[in-house]
Amino acid sequence: ERVGARPAAPAAPAAPASLAAPAAPPLSHLRRSAGGLGRHPGFARVPDAGRGRISGERGGSPISQVRTGGGGPGCRALQSELASATTVQEARRQALVTSEEPQEKILAREEAVHESYRRRGPLKVTIIGSGNWGSAIATVVGQNTGKYSVFGDRATMWVFQELHEGRNLTDIINYDNVNAKYLPGITLPKTVHAEPDLETAAADADILVFVTPHQFVRRICEQLKGKIKPDAVAVSLIKGFEVQESSDGTSGTMEIKLISEVIEEILGIQCAALSGANIAHDIANRQFSESTIGCRKEEDAGVLQLLFDVPYFKIGLVQDVAGVQIYGSLKNIVALAAGFVDGLGLDSNTKAAIIRIGVEEMRKFTKIFYPEVKRSTMWDSCGIADVITTCYAGRNRRCAETFVRERTKSWEQIERELLNGQKLQGVLTAAEVFEFLHSNGKLDMFPFFHQVHKISTRDAEPESIIETFQHADLKPFEIESRGI
Protein backbone atom coordinates (compact mmCIF):
# COMPACT_ATOMS: atom_id res chain seq x y z
CA GLU A 1 0.00 0.00 0.00
CA ARG A 2 1.34 3.44 -0.98
CA VAL A 3 2.49 5.72 1.83
CA GLY A 4 -0.03 8.50 2.28
CA ALA A 5 -2.47 6.90 -0.13
CA ARG A 6 -6.06 8.05 0.08
CA PRO A 7 -8.05 5.73 2.41
CA ALA A 8 -10.61 3.48 0.78
CA ALA A 9 -13.94 5.19 0.28
CA PRO A 10 -16.76 4.04 2.55
CA ALA A 11 -19.36 1.81 1.00
CA ALA A 12 -22.44 3.62 -0.25
CA PRO A 13 -25.46 3.25 2.05
CA ALA A 14 -27.90 0.57 1.01
CA ALA A 15 -31.19 1.63 -0.53
CA PRO A 16 -34.25 1.37 1.72
CA ALA A 17 -35.92 -2.02 1.46
CA SER A 18 -39.23 -0.43 0.51
CA LEU A 19 -37.68 0.90 -2.67
CA ALA A 20 -35.21 -1.88 -3.36
CA ALA A 21 -37.79 -4.70 -3.25
CA PRO A 22 -39.37 -5.70 -6.59
CA ALA A 23 -42.86 -5.25 -5.17
CA ALA A 24 -42.30 -1.64 -4.17
CA PRO A 25 -44.79 0.79 -5.74
CA PRO A 26 -43.40 2.90 -8.60
CA LEU A 27 -42.54 6.54 -7.99
CA SER A 28 -43.74 7.62 -11.44
CA HIS A 29 -45.99 10.21 -9.81
CA LEU A 30 -42.85 12.01 -8.62
CA ARG A 31 -41.80 13.05 -12.12
CA ARG A 32 -39.59 16.10 -12.44
CA SER A 33 -41.23 19.36 -13.42
CA ALA A 34 -40.47 23.06 -13.39
CA GLY A 35 -41.68 23.31 -9.81
CA GLY A 36 -39.53 20.43 -8.59
CA LEU A 37 -42.44 17.98 -8.10
CA GLY A 38 -44.69 16.19 -10.51
CA ARG A 39 -48.38 15.53 -9.98
CA HIS A 40 -49.31 13.48 -6.95
CA PRO A 41 -52.73 11.90 -6.29
CA GLY A 42 -54.85 14.49 -4.55
CA PHE A 43 -52.68 17.41 -5.64
CA ALA A 44 -52.91 19.70 -8.63
CA ARG A 45 -50.78 22.65 -9.72
CA VAL A 46 -52.73 25.73 -8.67
CA PRO A 47 -51.53 29.37 -8.70
CA ASP A 48 -50.37 30.41 -5.24
CA ALA A 49 -48.98 33.56 -3.67
CA GLY A 50 -45.53 32.02 -3.15
CA ARG A 51 -43.40 31.24 -6.20
CA GLY A 52 -42.84 27.53 -6.75
CA ARG A 53 -45.59 26.42 -4.35
CA ILE A 54 -48.31 23.89 -5.08
CA SER A 55 -51.72 23.88 -3.40
CA GLY A 56 -53.89 20.83 -2.82
CA GLU A 57 -57.31 20.52 -4.43
CA ARG A 58 -58.81 19.87 -1.02
CA GLY A 59 -58.43 22.76 1.39
CA GLY A 60 -55.68 24.63 -0.52
CA SER A 61 -52.89 23.49 1.84
CA PRO A 62 -49.46 24.47 0.45
CA ILE A 63 -46.98 21.77 -0.44
CA SER A 64 -44.79 23.15 2.36
CA GLN A 65 -46.98 21.04 4.67
CA VAL A 66 -45.53 17.98 2.99
CA ARG A 67 -41.99 19.16 3.72
CA THR A 68 -42.74 20.08 7.34
CA GLY A 69 -44.90 17.10 8.24
CA GLY A 70 -48.20 18.96 8.33
CA GLY A 71 -51.40 18.15 6.46
CA GLY A 72 -53.49 15.00 6.36
CA PRO A 73 -52.64 11.36 5.61
CA GLY A 74 -51.99 12.12 1.94
CA CYS A 75 -49.38 14.73 2.89
CA ARG A 76 -47.69 12.39 5.35
CA ALA A 77 -47.57 9.55 2.81
CA LEU A 78 -45.97 11.81 0.22
CA GLN A 79 -43.54 13.12 2.83
CA SER A 80 -42.44 9.56 3.60
CA GLU A 81 -41.96 8.72 -0.07
CA LEU A 82 -40.02 11.94 -0.66
CA ALA A 83 -37.68 11.15 2.24
CA SER A 84 -37.10 7.62 0.92
CA ALA A 85 -36.51 8.89 -2.61
CA THR A 86 -34.01 11.44 -1.30
CA THR A 87 -32.14 8.71 0.57
CA VAL A 88 -31.88 6.56 -2.55
CA GLN A 89 -30.81 9.53 -4.67
CA GLU A 90 -28.06 10.43 -2.19
CA ALA A 91 -26.90 6.80 -2.04
CA ARG A 92 -26.63 6.68 -5.82
CA ARG A 93 -24.72 9.98 -5.88
CA GLN A 94 -22.29 8.71 -3.26
CA ALA A 95 -21.79 5.52 -5.23
CA LEU A 96 -20.89 7.61 -8.28
CA VAL A 97 -18.38 9.90 -6.59
CA THR A 98 -16.62 7.24 -4.54
CA SER A 99 -16.26 4.63 -7.29
CA GLU A 100 -12.75 3.18 -7.43
CA GLU A 101 -10.93 1.92 -10.50
CA PRO A 102 -9.86 -1.74 -10.65
CA GLN A 103 -6.18 -2.44 -9.90
CA GLU A 104 -5.52 -3.93 -13.34
CA LYS A 105 -6.69 -0.69 -14.98
CA ILE A 106 -4.36 1.35 -12.76
CA LEU A 107 -1.40 -0.86 -13.68
CA ALA A 108 -2.25 -0.72 -17.39
CA ARG A 109 -2.32 3.08 -17.28
CA GLU A 110 1.08 3.21 -15.60
CA GLU A 111 2.51 0.88 -18.24
CA ALA A 112 1.24 3.24 -20.94
CA VAL A 113 3.34 6.12 -19.60
CA HIS A 114 6.33 6.80 -21.83
CA GLU A 115 9.47 4.93 -20.82
CA SER A 116 11.45 8.16 -20.44
CA TYR A 117 9.23 9.12 -17.50
CA ARG A 118 9.12 5.65 -15.92
CA ARG A 119 12.94 5.47 -15.98
CA ARG A 120 13.22 8.69 -13.99
CA GLY A 121 11.65 7.09 -10.93
CA PRO A 122 8.89 8.63 -8.84
CA LEU A 123 8.11 12.04 -10.31
CA LYS A 124 7.84 15.00 -7.96
CA VAL A 125 4.74 17.11 -8.65
CA THR A 126 4.49 20.73 -7.51
CA ILE A 127 1.34 22.85 -7.72
CA ILE A 128 2.12 26.57 -8.01
CA GLY A 129 -0.93 28.24 -6.49
CA SER A 130 -3.44 27.42 -3.78
CA GLY A 131 -6.56 29.47 -4.41
CA ASN A 132 -10.00 28.05 -5.11
CA TRP A 133 -9.02 26.41 -8.42
CA GLY A 134 -5.55 25.44 -7.23
CA SER A 135 -6.96 23.71 -4.15
CA ALA A 136 -9.67 21.97 -6.18
CA ILE A 137 -7.13 20.57 -8.64
CA ALA A 138 -5.01 19.50 -5.67
CA THR A 139 -7.83 17.15 -4.66
CA VAL A 140 -7.38 15.41 -8.04
CA VAL A 141 -3.58 15.51 -8.20
CA GLY A 142 -3.32 14.34 -4.59
CA GLN A 143 -5.42 11.27 -5.38
CA ASN A 144 -3.31 10.29 -8.37
CA THR A 145 0.05 10.82 -6.69
CA GLY A 146 -1.19 8.41 -4.04
CA LYS A 147 -2.52 5.96 -6.64
CA TYR A 148 0.20 5.69 -9.29
CA SER A 149 3.75 4.63 -8.42
CA VAL A 150 5.17 6.69 -11.30
CA PHE A 151 4.57 9.74 -9.09
CA GLY A 152 6.09 10.52 -5.72
CA ASP A 153 4.16 9.81 -2.54
CA ARG A 154 2.93 13.39 -2.18
CA ALA A 155 2.16 16.52 -4.17
CA THR A 156 3.69 19.78 -2.95
CA MET A 157 1.48 22.87 -3.17
CA TRP A 158 3.04 26.32 -2.95
CA VAL A 159 0.84 28.44 -0.69
CA PHE A 160 1.21 32.19 -0.37
CA GLN A 161 1.46 32.46 3.40
CA GLU A 162 -1.32 34.36 5.09
CA LEU A 163 -3.24 34.20 8.34
CA HIS A 164 -6.73 32.75 8.49
CA GLU A 165 -8.56 33.01 11.80
CA GLY A 166 -5.24 33.49 13.59
CA ARG A 167 -3.42 30.52 12.04
CA ASN A 168 -1.00 30.18 9.13
CA LEU A 169 -2.85 28.90 6.09
CA THR A 170 -0.11 26.30 5.48
CA ASP A 171 -0.61 24.90 8.98
CA ILE A 172 -4.35 24.61 8.43
CA ILE A 173 -3.79 22.72 5.18
CA ASN A 174 -1.10 20.42 6.56
CA TYR A 175 -2.76 19.60 9.90
CA ASP A 176 -6.47 19.88 9.09
CA ASN A 177 -6.27 18.84 5.42
CA VAL A 178 -8.49 21.69 4.27
CA ASN A 179 -7.91 25.08 2.66
CA ALA A 180 -10.28 26.84 5.03
CA LYS A 181 -10.00 30.20 3.25
CA TYR A 182 -10.29 29.35 -0.45
CA LEU A 183 -12.00 25.93 -0.49
CA PRO A 184 -13.74 25.52 2.88
CA GLY A 185 -15.56 22.30 3.66
CA ILE A 186 -13.51 20.18 1.23
CA THR A 187 -11.05 17.64 2.59
CA LEU A 188 -7.73 17.62 0.76
CA PRO A 189 -5.89 14.30 0.31
CA LYS A 190 -3.21 13.65 2.92
CA THR A 191 -0.78 13.38 0.00
CA VAL A 192 -1.01 17.17 -0.51
CA HIS A 193 1.65 19.12 1.43
CA ALA A 194 1.53 22.92 1.69
CA GLU A 195 4.85 24.77 1.40
CA PRO A 196 5.09 28.57 1.90
CA ASP A 197 8.49 29.01 0.21
CA LEU A 198 8.19 29.07 -3.59
CA GLU A 199 11.74 27.94 -4.35
CA THR A 200 11.58 25.10 -1.83
CA ALA A 201 8.27 23.94 -3.29
CA ALA A 202 9.62 23.89 -6.86
CA ALA A 203 13.03 22.39 -6.08
CA ASP A 204 13.61 19.09 -7.95
CA ALA A 205 10.06 19.12 -9.34
CA ASP A 206 9.53 17.01 -12.47
CA ILE A 207 6.06 18.43 -13.15
CA LEU A 208 5.08 22.04 -12.37
CA VAL A 209 1.34 22.79 -12.33
CA PHE A 210 0.75 26.54 -12.65
CA VAL A 211 -2.60 27.69 -11.30
CA THR A 212 -2.33 31.34 -10.23
CA PRO A 213 -3.96 34.53 -11.56
CA HIS A 214 -2.29 35.27 -14.90
CA GLN A 215 -0.95 38.67 -13.83
CA PHE A 216 1.39 36.95 -11.33
CA VAL A 217 2.95 34.35 -13.63
CA ARG A 218 5.88 36.35 -14.95
CA ARG A 219 7.01 37.43 -11.48
CA ILE A 220 6.81 33.83 -10.20
CA CYS A 221 8.79 32.50 -13.16
CA GLU A 222 11.45 35.15 -12.77
CA GLN A 223 11.94 34.02 -9.17
CA LEU A 224 12.25 30.37 -10.26
CA LYS A 225 14.56 31.03 -13.21
CA GLY A 226 17.62 28.78 -13.05
CA LYS A 227 16.32 26.95 -9.98
CA ILE A 228 14.30 24.11 -11.49
CA LYS A 229 15.25 20.88 -13.27
CA PRO A 230 16.06 21.43 -16.96
CA ASP A 231 14.02 18.38 -18.00
CA ALA A 232 10.95 19.36 -15.97
CA VAL A 233 7.64 19.86 -17.77
CA ALA A 234 5.04 22.50 -16.90
CA VAL A 235 1.30 22.67 -17.44
CA SER A 236 -0.67 25.90 -17.19
CA LEU A 237 -4.21 25.85 -15.78
CA ILE A 238 -4.36 29.64 -16.06
CA LYS A 239 -7.01 31.41 -18.13
CA GLY A 240 -5.57 34.62 -19.47
CA PHE A 241 -2.61 35.99 -21.42
CA GLU A 242 -0.19 38.88 -21.50
CA VAL A 243 -0.31 41.81 -23.89
CA GLN A 244 3.04 43.50 -24.48
CA GLU A 245 4.82 45.67 -27.02
CA SER A 246 5.49 43.92 -30.30
CA SER A 247 8.81 42.11 -30.44
CA ASP A 248 9.31 43.04 -34.12
CA GLY A 249 10.02 46.65 -33.15
CA THR A 250 6.84 48.11 -34.63
CA SER A 251 6.18 51.24 -32.62
CA GLY A 252 2.90 51.29 -30.71
CA THR A 253 1.87 47.81 -31.78
CA MET A 254 1.00 45.23 -29.14
CA GLU A 255 1.22 41.46 -29.28
CA ILE A 256 -0.27 38.63 -27.24
CA LYS A 257 1.91 36.34 -25.17
CA LEU A 258 0.28 33.10 -24.08
CA ILE A 259 0.96 31.97 -20.52
CA SER A 260 2.65 28.81 -21.82
CA GLU A 261 4.97 31.02 -23.87
CA VAL A 262 5.85 33.14 -20.83
CA ILE A 263 6.71 30.01 -18.82
CA GLU A 264 8.73 28.46 -21.66
CA GLU A 265 10.60 31.70 -22.36
CA ILE A 266 11.68 32.32 -18.76
CA LEU A 267 12.15 28.78 -17.45
CA GLY A 268 13.33 27.14 -20.67
CA ILE A 269 11.07 24.09 -20.34
CA GLN A 270 8.11 22.68 -22.30
CA CYS A 271 4.69 23.89 -21.15
CA ALA A 272 1.31 22.32 -21.88
CA ALA A 273 -2.12 23.82 -21.07
CA LEU A 274 -5.23 22.47 -19.34
CA SER A 275 -8.59 24.17 -19.66
CA GLY A 276 -12.22 23.13 -19.69
CA ALA A 277 -15.74 23.55 -18.37
CA ASN A 278 -14.54 23.38 -14.81
CA ILE A 279 -16.15 25.07 -11.80
CA ALA A 280 -13.70 24.46 -8.98
CA HIS A 281 -16.19 23.61 -6.26
CA ASP A 282 -18.02 21.10 -8.48
CA ILE A 283 -14.77 19.25 -9.15
CA ALA A 284 -13.87 19.31 -5.46
CA ASN A 285 -17.29 17.74 -4.79
CA ARG A 286 -16.52 15.08 -7.41
CA GLN A 287 -19.27 16.01 -9.83
CA PHE A 288 -18.58 14.61 -13.29
CA SER A 289 -16.83 16.97 -15.69
CA GLU A 290 -14.27 17.05 -18.49
CA SER A 291 -11.20 19.09 -19.36
CA THR A 292 -8.73 19.35 -22.22
CA ILE A 293 -4.94 19.22 -22.20
CA GLY A 294 -3.12 20.80 -25.12
CA CYS A 295 0.38 19.38 -25.47
CA ARG A 296 2.97 19.19 -28.24
CA LYS A 297 4.73 15.95 -27.24
CA GLU A 298 2.96 12.63 -26.93
CA GLU A 299 5.14 11.46 -24.02
CA ASP A 300 4.32 14.62 -22.03
CA ALA A 301 0.62 14.32 -22.85
CA GLY A 302 0.49 10.76 -21.52
CA VAL A 303 1.99 11.49 -18.11
CA LEU A 304 -0.09 14.68 -17.69
CA GLN A 305 -3.26 12.81 -18.54
CA LEU A 306 -2.37 10.22 -15.90
CA LEU A 307 -1.81 12.99 -13.35
CA PHE A 308 -5.19 14.67 -13.83
CA ASP A 309 -7.61 11.99 -15.05
CA VAL A 310 -9.97 10.45 -12.49
CA PRO A 311 -13.42 8.88 -13.01
CA TYR A 312 -15.24 12.16 -12.36
CA PHE A 313 -12.71 14.45 -14.13
CA LYS A 314 -12.00 13.10 -17.60
CA ILE A 315 -9.12 14.50 -19.60
CA GLY A 316 -9.06 14.79 -23.40
CA LEU A 317 -5.83 15.40 -25.32
CA VAL A 318 -5.14 17.70 -28.26
CA GLN A 319 -1.92 19.03 -29.79
CA ASP A 320 -3.39 22.53 -29.91
CA VAL A 321 -1.67 24.31 -27.00
CA ALA A 322 -2.59 27.78 -28.31
CA GLY A 323 -6.25 26.95 -28.95
CA VAL A 324 -6.79 25.59 -25.45
CA GLN A 325 -5.48 28.84 -23.95
CA ILE A 326 -7.05 31.33 -26.36
CA TYR A 327 -10.55 29.92 -25.90
CA GLY A 328 -10.05 29.63 -22.14
CA SER A 329 -9.11 33.32 -21.97
CA LEU A 330 -11.63 34.89 -24.34
CA LYS A 331 -14.61 33.09 -22.83
CA ASN A 332 -14.22 35.24 -19.70
CA ILE A 333 -15.12 38.30 -21.78
CA VAL A 334 -18.24 36.51 -23.01
CA ALA A 335 -19.08 35.64 -19.40
CA LEU A 336 -18.98 39.34 -18.45
CA ALA A 337 -21.54 40.06 -21.16
CA ALA A 338 -23.73 37.20 -19.92
CA GLY A 339 -23.56 38.73 -16.44
CA PHE A 340 -24.52 42.16 -17.80
CA VAL A 341 -27.60 40.58 -19.38
CA ASP A 342 -28.52 38.88 -16.10
CA GLY A 343 -28.01 42.13 -14.22
CA LEU A 344 -30.42 43.86 -16.59
CA GLY A 345 -33.05 41.22 -15.78
CA LEU A 346 -33.30 40.01 -19.37
CA ASP A 347 -34.29 36.47 -20.23
CA SER A 348 -32.93 33.41 -22.02
CA ASN A 349 -33.39 34.48 -25.64
CA THR A 350 -31.34 37.63 -25.09
CA LYS A 351 -28.66 35.83 -23.11
CA ALA A 352 -28.35 33.10 -25.76
CA ALA A 353 -28.03 35.71 -28.52
CA ILE A 354 -25.32 37.63 -26.66
CA ILE A 355 -23.39 34.42 -25.92
CA ARG A 356 -23.61 33.40 -29.59
CA ILE A 357 -22.29 36.78 -30.74
CA GLY A 358 -19.44 36.47 -28.24
CA VAL A 359 -18.54 32.97 -29.43
CA GLU A 360 -18.55 34.23 -33.02
CA GLU A 361 -15.99 36.91 -32.10
CA MET A 362 -13.88 34.28 -30.30
CA ARG A 363 -13.85 32.27 -33.53
CA LYS A 364 -13.01 35.34 -35.62
CA PHE A 365 -10.23 36.44 -33.26
CA THR A 366 -8.64 33.00 -33.39
CA LYS A 367 -8.94 32.78 -37.17
CA ILE A 368 -7.21 36.15 -37.70
CA PHE A 369 -4.49 36.07 -35.05
CA TYR A 370 -3.97 32.34 -34.45
CA PRO A 371 -4.69 30.63 -37.77
CA GLU A 372 -2.81 27.52 -36.58
CA VAL A 373 -5.51 26.79 -33.99
CA LYS A 374 -7.50 23.72 -34.94
CA ARG A 375 -11.17 24.27 -35.64
CA SER A 376 -12.08 21.10 -33.74
CA THR A 377 -10.63 22.50 -30.50
CA MET A 378 -13.68 24.74 -30.15
CA TRP A 379 -15.83 21.62 -29.75
CA ASP A 380 -13.71 20.16 -26.96
CA SER A 381 -14.29 20.92 -23.27
CA CYS A 382 -11.91 23.91 -23.44
CA GLY A 383 -14.12 25.57 -26.06
CA ILE A 384 -17.89 25.78 -26.23
CA ALA A 385 -18.45 23.72 -23.06
CA ASP A 386 -16.31 26.15 -21.06
CA VAL A 387 -18.26 29.09 -22.49
CA ILE A 388 -21.56 27.56 -21.40
CA THR A 389 -20.39 26.80 -17.87
CA THR A 390 -18.76 30.19 -17.34
CA CYS A 391 -21.75 32.11 -18.68
CA TYR A 392 -24.10 30.41 -16.24
CA ALA A 393 -22.04 29.53 -13.16
CA GLY A 394 -18.66 31.32 -13.26
CA ARG A 395 -17.33 34.10 -11.05
CA ASN A 396 -17.03 36.54 -13.98
CA ARG A 397 -20.74 36.22 -14.75
CA ARG A 398 -21.68 36.57 -11.07
CA CYS A 399 -19.55 39.69 -10.55
CA ALA A 400 -20.75 41.27 -13.80
CA GLU A 401 -24.37 40.82 -12.71
CA THR A 402 -23.60 42.63 -9.44
CA PHE A 403 -21.72 45.34 -11.39
CA VAL A 404 -24.97 46.13 -13.22
CA ARG A 405 -27.37 45.76 -10.29
CA GLU A 406 -25.26 47.85 -7.90
CA ARG A 407 -23.86 50.52 -10.20
CA THR A 408 -22.09 52.51 -7.52
CA LYS A 409 -19.71 49.64 -6.73
CA SER A 410 -16.30 49.24 -8.30
CA TRP A 411 -14.88 45.95 -9.53
CA GLU A 412 -12.50 45.99 -6.57
CA GLN A 413 -15.40 46.24 -4.12
CA ILE A 414 -17.30 43.45 -5.85
CA GLU A 415 -14.21 41.27 -5.94
CA ARG A 416 -13.70 41.73 -2.19
CA GLU A 417 -17.33 41.04 -1.34
CA LEU A 418 -17.98 38.06 -3.60
CA LEU A 419 -14.68 36.30 -4.26
CA ASN A 420 -13.11 35.92 -0.81
CA GLY A 421 -9.63 36.84 -1.99
CA GLN A 422 -9.88 35.30 -5.44
CA LYS A 423 -9.10 37.38 -8.52
CA LEU A 424 -11.46 38.35 -11.33
CA GLN A 425 -9.93 37.62 -14.74
CA GLY A 426 -12.53 38.79 -17.27
CA VAL A 427 -12.17 42.55 -16.75
CA LEU A 428 -8.39 42.42 -17.12
CA THR A 429 -8.62 40.18 -20.20
CA ALA A 430 -11.19 42.52 -21.77
CA ALA A 431 -8.81 45.47 -21.23
CA GLU A 432 -5.87 43.54 -22.69
CA VAL A 433 -7.84 42.46 -25.75
CA PHE A 434 -9.04 46.04 -26.26
CA GLU A 435 -5.46 47.33 -26.09
CA PHE A 436 -4.25 44.65 -28.49
CA LEU A 437 -7.02 45.20 -31.05
CA HIS A 438 -6.72 49.00 -30.88
CA SER A 439 -2.98 48.98 -31.44
CA ASN A 440 -3.36 46.65 -34.42
CA GLY A 441 -6.17 48.66 -36.05
CA LYS A 442 -8.72 45.83 -35.73
CA LEU A 443 -11.07 47.21 -33.07
CA ASP A 444 -13.93 47.86 -35.54
CA MET A 445 -13.96 44.17 -36.44
CA PHE A 446 -14.82 43.21 -32.86
CA PRO A 447 -17.77 45.32 -31.65
CA PHE A 448 -18.67 42.76 -28.96
CA PHE A 449 -15.24 42.77 -27.28
CA HIS A 450 -15.11 46.56 -27.62
CA GLN A 451 -18.51 47.11 -26.00
CA VAL A 452 -17.84 44.72 -23.11
CA HIS A 453 -14.66 46.68 -22.32
CA LYS A 454 -16.48 50.02 -22.48
CA ILE A 455 -19.19 48.80 -20.12
CA SER A 456 -16.63 47.35 -17.72
CA THR A 457 -14.89 50.74 -17.48
CA ARG A 458 -18.24 52.55 -17.12
CA ASP A 459 -17.66 54.32 -20.43
CA ALA A 460 -20.95 52.86 -21.67
CA GLU A 461 -24.21 51.82 -20.05
CA PRO A 462 -24.87 48.07 -19.65
CA GLU A 463 -27.92 48.39 -21.93
CA SER A 464 -25.55 49.19 -24.82
CA ILE A 465 -24.55 45.52 -25.06
CA ILE A 466 -28.02 44.97 -26.53
CA GLU A 467 -28.39 48.23 -28.44
CA THR A 468 -25.11 47.70 -30.28
CA PHE A 469 -26.45 44.61 -32.01
CA GLN A 470 -30.09 45.66 -32.37
CA HIS A 471 -28.95 48.13 -35.01
CA ALA A 472 -26.23 46.00 -36.60
CA ASP A 473 -26.15 45.60 -40.38
CA LEU A 474 -27.96 42.60 -41.79
CA LYS A 475 -25.72 39.62 -42.32
CA PRO A 476 -25.39 38.81 -46.05
CA PHE A 477 -26.01 35.38 -47.49
CA GLU A 478 -22.77 33.42 -47.68
CA ILE A 479 -21.84 30.10 -49.24
CA GLU A 480 -19.37 28.38 -46.97
CA SER A 481 -17.13 25.43 -47.60
CA ARG A 482 -18.22 22.12 -46.11
CA GLY A 483 -17.28 21.33 -42.53
CA ILE A 484 -17.88 22.87 -39.14
Side-chain angles (χ1 to χ4, degrees):
E1 185 175 350
R2 294 292 305 280
V3 175
R6 186 182 181 87
S18 61
L19 290 174
L27 294 177
S28 57
H29 54 279
L30 294 178
R31 293 188 296 270
R32 289 182 180 275
S33 71
L37 279 173
R39 186 173 294 235
H40 183 270
F43 286 84
R45 191 169 296 281
V46 178
D48 194 34
R51 185 178 178 182
R53 295 169 64 186
I54 305 173
S55 296
E57 290 176 335
R58 294 187 288 273
S61 300
I63 197 66
S64 59
Q65 289 184 343
V66 175
R67 300 190 183 101
T68 59
C75 285
R76 287 192 291 273
L78 178 56
Q79 181 195 18
S80 176
E81 290 185 5
L82 282 170
S84 297
T86 301
T87 302
V88 172
Q89 193 175 42
E90 178 61 20
R92 288 172 178 163
R93 191 189 76 82
Q94 287 296 326
L96 280 174
V97 302
T98 59
S99 60
E100 297 292 337
E101 295 180 281
Q103 188 66 23
E104 57 269 21
K105 188 173 182 179
I106 293 173
L107 293 173
R109 286 187 168 185
E110 285 195 317
E111 286 296 320
V113 172
H114 195 271
E115 185 182 357
S116 63
Y117 277 104
R118 287 190 279 121
R119 278 203 311 264
R120 286 161 65 175
L123 304 171
K124 178 182 175 181
V125 179
T126 294
I127 302 168
I128 306 293
S130 58
N132 183 245
W133 181 213
S135 297
I137 207 64
T139 67
V140 173
V141 170
Q143 285 182 65
N144 284 342
T145 54
K147 181 192 298 183
Y148 297 110
S149 61
V150 71
F151 302 117
D153 287 331
R154 73 181 188 182
T156 301
M157 179 167 69
W158 172 62
V159 177
F160 181 79
Q161 190 67 284
E162 55 186 310
L163 290 177
H164 179 72
E165 297 181 350
R167 296 173 64 194
N168 285 333
L169 189 56
T170 51
D171 291 338
I172 296 173
I173 294 170
N174 288 333
Y175 292 105
D176 300 346
N177 300 118
V178 62
N179 188 334
K181 179 168 185 179
Y182 297 110
L183 196 64
I186 299 296
T187 300
L188 298 175
K190 294 183 186 299
T191 49
V192 175
H193 174 76
E195 169 55 55
D197 185 78
L198 175 61
E199 294 176 23
T200 301
D204 298 319
D206 297 285
I207 301 175
L208 292 163
V209 180
F210 282 85
V211 55
T212 65
H214 77 271
Q215 59 266 37
F216 302 143
V217 173
R218 181 171 289 276
R219 187 171 64 200
I220 289 170
C221 288
E222 291 290 355
Q223 186 176 339
L224 293 177
K225 187 175 182 179
K227 298 171 184 175
I228 63 169
K229 295 172 73 169
D231 58 350
V233 63
V235 56
S236 169
L237 279 64
I238 298 164
K239 296 180 178 180
F241 42 63
E242 284 190 353
V243 171
Q244 59 185 32
E245 287 193 17
S246 179
S247 57
D248 64 7
T250 307
S251 178
T253 302
M254 310 300 288
E255 67 179 9
I256 284 176
K257 199 86 166 177
L258 300 177
I259 296 303
S260 65
E261 294 173 335
V262 174
I263 294 169
E264 289 177 340
E265 178 185 277
I266 299 174
L267 299 183
I269 59 176
Q270 288 284 312
C271 185
L274 182 151
S275 183
N278 308 141
I279 299 298
H281 205 270
D282 291 351
I283 292 169
N285 278 313
R286 300 189 173 198
Q287 296 187 27
F288 179 77
S289 61
E290 299 177 308
S291 204
T292 309
I293 290 178
C295 193
R296 296 184 190 88
K297 293 184 177 180
E298 185 178 357
E299 57 265 35
D300 294 343
V303 76
L304 292 176
Q305 186 178 47
L306 191 71
L307 181 63
F308 293 106
D309 187 274
V310 290
Y312 58 88
F313 187 56
K314 302 306 294 180
I315 302 297
L317 298 174
V318 297
Q319 282 190 301
D320 192 357
V321 182
V324 169
Q325 294 175 90
I326 287 292
Y327 292 140
S329 301
L330 296 179
K331 59 90 185 181
N332 283 331
I333 305 178
V334 183
L336 290 180
F340 296 156
V341 171
D342 290 339
L344 292 168
L346 302 173
D347 288 326
S348 300
N349 288 358
T350 304
K351 188 169 180 177
I354 290 302
I355 292 171
R356 187 211 65 79
I357 294 167
V359 170
E360 175 64 19
E361 287 205 2
M362 287 172 60
R363 187 196 66 82
K364 186 194 297 184
F365 186 97
T366 305
K367 188 174 182 180
I368 293 173
F369 300 109
Y370 286 88
E372 72 275 16
V373 166
K374 295 177 173 58
R375 190 180 294 182
S376 59
T377 303
M378 172 61 87
W379 304 108
D380 219 301
S381 180
C382 62
I384 193 67
D386 196 8
V387 174
I388 294 168
T389 294
T390 308
C391 288
Y392 283 88
R395 69 181 73 162
N396 289 281
R397 185 220 65 81
R398 182 158 49 106
C399 290
E401 179 180 6
T402 302
F403 184 77
V404 172
R405 292 190 186 277
E406 302 180 33
R407 301 195 185 192
T408 60
K409 289 186 176 180
S410 67
W411 287 113
E412 290 76 15
Q413 286 177 282
I414 294 169
E415 190 177 72
R416 283 196 304 271
E417 291 174 9
L418 298 186
L419 299 187
N420 189 32
Q422 300 172 63
K423 294 298 180 183
L424 192 63
Q425 298 294 299
V427 177
L428 179 57
T429 301
E432 290 170 336
V433 168
F434 169 81
E435 187 179 12
F436 170 76
L437 292 173
H438 183 266
S439 72
N440 285 276
K442 303 287 187 183
L443 195 57
D444 290 345
M445 297 179 65
F446 295 89
F448 177 90
F449 289 162
H450 188 189
Q451 205 62 30
V452 170
H453 173 66
K454 287 173 66 177
I455 295 169
S456 71
T457 56
R458 300 236 188 250
D459 289 331
E461 293 298 320
E463 291 80 3
S464 66
I465 193 67
I466 310 300
E467 296 163 357
T468 298
F469 299 102
Q470 283 180 324
H471 305 294
D473 293 336
L474 295 176
K475 188 175 181 179
F477 178 76
E478 295 178 353
I479 299 177
E480 294 185 330
S481 58
R482 294 181 65 182
I484 296 176

